[in-house]
């Protein structure tokens, strides 16, 4: 596991905790977005380096 995957797991845990600890619809939406971002980090869909397309 690299650093971005560990960050993604941390964000996912925070998002899941926020979902279960509150009964607010807005917080549920925000925690769903956090979980989506964490999956992006875990599966490396969010690149940190720009790729050169011309190569």
């Amino acid at each position: 596991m690299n650093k971005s995957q560990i960050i993604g797991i941390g964000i996912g845990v925070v998002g899941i905790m926020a979902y279960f600890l509150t009964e607010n619809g807005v917080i549920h939406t925000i925690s769903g977005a956090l979980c989506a971002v964490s999956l992006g980090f875990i599966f490396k869909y969010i690149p940190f380096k720009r790729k050169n397309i011309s190569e």
Side-chain angles (χ1 to χ4, degrees), residues 9-54:
I9 291 172
I11 293 172
V13 167
V14 169
I16 291 171
M17 285 188 333
Y19 183 80
F20 286 118
L21 292 177
T22 61
E23 294 293 328
N24 191 350
V26 175
I27 300 299
H28 285 173
T29 304
I30 292 171
S31 66
L34 282 177
C35 288
V37 169
S38 71
L39 285 177
F41 275 108
I42 291 170
F43 294 126
K44 299 179 188 177
Y45 292 138
I46 303 173
F48 290 108
K49 297 179 183 175
R50 290 186 172 239
K51 294 182 181 177
N52 192 356
I53 299 173
S54 64

